[in-house]
């Protein structure tokens, strides 16, 4: 799975190994690029959605154009959806599948520590925001066009809008950031998508998948009853 930037330098080798290529794109132009480079599956984070502040988790970019991606490409597409009944909605809109991240951060298999998982359980989508401050403070070389969606906290509140100041004092600020306690979520980053509203427990990954499939089957079955032949 490739995200960010031109996938074409890598796709030849991946194809040659007999594997499928998944490209996560942020813009219509990138979707076209990925298709031309031979992507088998394109993840369009905003496909069909019109949310003003995006609909993304972790590092996903601030691009737009998902709805247009959907109309442009048929076949192996995959969309990110995590609303209740989201899998059914994505399939109904023509996607071949969905990609999920946040839900699995609160799974038994997740490598996040318990305090991080508990924070996820207690947070809502309105508490998330796209920001670069956590990358800047950690000296991560993410381009400015790729902010990440995370839980808003005192640290991000303090530096949001003052990114240049933070960058100018990065070394000192990084020391302070790294010195904070692991359970200090006023400072520590917790990456999360807006679908965090729906995360209320910490099941196994397989239980999560089974639950989502069961919900989708129930929703699609109900929907099919609306059709009179
Ligand atoms: C903790 C975390 C880290 C992520 N890191 C990356 C990343 O490094 N690169 C990337 O392309 N996407 C990253 N993502 C985004 C996922 O690839 C995926 O698009 C997204 O999580 C799906 O949306 P959802 O989290 O709302 O289910 C990350 C997501 C999470 C939750």
């Amino acid at each position: 799975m490739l995200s960010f930037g031109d996938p074409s330098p890598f796709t030849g080798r991946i194809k040659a190994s007999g594997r499928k290529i998944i490209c996560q794109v942020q813009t219509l132009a990138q979707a076209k690029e990925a298709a031309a480079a031979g992507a088998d599956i394109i993840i369009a984070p905003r496909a069909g959605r019109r949310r003003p502040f995006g609909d993304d988790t972790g590092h996903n970019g601030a691009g737009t154009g998902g709805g247009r991606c959907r109309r442009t490409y048929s076949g192996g597409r995959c969309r990110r959806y995590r609303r209740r009944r989201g899998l059914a909605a994505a399939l109904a809109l023509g996607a071949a599948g969905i990609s999920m991240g946040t839900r699995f951060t609160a799974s038994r298999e997740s490598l996040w520590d318990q305090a991080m998982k508990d924070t996820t359980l207690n947070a809502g989508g309105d508490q998330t925001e796209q920001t670069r401050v956590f990358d800047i403070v950690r000296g991560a070389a993410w381009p400015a066009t790729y902010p990440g969606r995370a839980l808003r906290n005192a640290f991000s509140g303090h530096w949001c809008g003052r990114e240049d100041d933070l960058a100018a004092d990065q070394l000192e600020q990084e020391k302070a950031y790294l010195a904070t306690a692991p359970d200090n979520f006023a400072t520590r980053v917790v990456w999360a998508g807006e679908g965090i509203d729906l995360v209320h427990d910490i099941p196994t990954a397989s239980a999560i998948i089974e639950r989502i499939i069961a919900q989708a089957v129930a929703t699609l079955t109900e929907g099919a009853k609306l059709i009179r032949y």
Side-chain angles (χ1 to χ4, degrees):
M1 176 174 159
L2 305 170
S3 301
F4 313 114
D6 177 9
S8 61
F10 309 101
T11 49
R13 250 194 305 162
I14 298 170
K15 282 259 181 224
S17 76
R19 289 172 174 81
K20 298 259 185 247
I21 301 172
I22 305 174
C23 290
Q24 179 161 265
V25 302
Q26 282 78 39
T27 63
L28 178 61
Q30 287 176 354
K32 287 180 175 170
E33 203 174 57
D40 296 294
I41 295 170
I42 295 174
I43 302 177
R46 297 178 177 195
R49 305 187 71 81
R50 290 278 183 266
R51 296 180 73 94
F53 297 108
D55 196 34
D56 34 29
T57 313
H59 294 93
N60 236 307
T64 55
R68 283 174 292 148
C69 292
R70 181 171 61 77
R71 285 196 293 276
T72 306
Y73 295 103
S74 56
R77 282 160 320 198
C78 183
R79 306 164 135 217
R80 292 205 292 101
Y81 256 95
R82 83 294 299 157
R83 282 8 184 215
R84 213 182 302 281
R85 298 184 291 278
L87 171 56
L91 296 176
L93 286 168
I98 58 170
S99 154
M100 294 171 55
T102 301
R103 173 63 271 203
F104 292 104
T105 60
S107 65
R108 299 247 191 99
E109 291 88 343
S110 163
L111 299 178
W112 280 14
D113 60 42
Q114 192 61 39
M116 292 266 280
K117 293 182 188 179
D118 290 345
T119 304
T120 298
L121 298 189
N122 296 321
D126 288 348
Q127 290 160 258
T128 69
E129 69 183 353
Q130 275 197 325
T131 180
R132 294 180 55 231
V133 301
F134 295 113
D135 292 329
I136 294 171
V137 72
R138 296 176 309 157
W142 287 90
T145 43
Y146 295 125
R149 184 169 291 275
L151 294 185
R152 188 182 307 115
N153 62 14
F155 182 85
S156 63
H158 180 74
W159 289 109
C160 186
R162 299 174 51 210
E163 285 79 1
D164 290 344
D165 295 343
L166 179 59
D169 195 28
Q170 190 269 328
L171 286 178
E172 281 306 307
Q173 294 299 331
E174 183 177 26
K175 268 187 229 157
Y177 181 88
L178 295 176
T180 54
D183 62 350
N184 177 1
F185 294 108
T187 299
R188 191 177 173 192
V189 63
V190 178
W191 301 113
E194 292 172 298
I196 199 168
D197 285 315
L198 300 176
V199 179
H200 303 301
D201 55 3
I202 307 177
T204 62
S206 65
I208 291 171
I209 292 170
E210 279 162 16
R211 199 187 289 175
I212 286 164
I213 291 173
Q215 283 169 353
V217 168
T219 303
L220 293 171
T221 306
E222 273 307 301
K225 286 184 195 158
L226 299 172
I227 300 170
R228 290 219 178 86
Y229 294 100

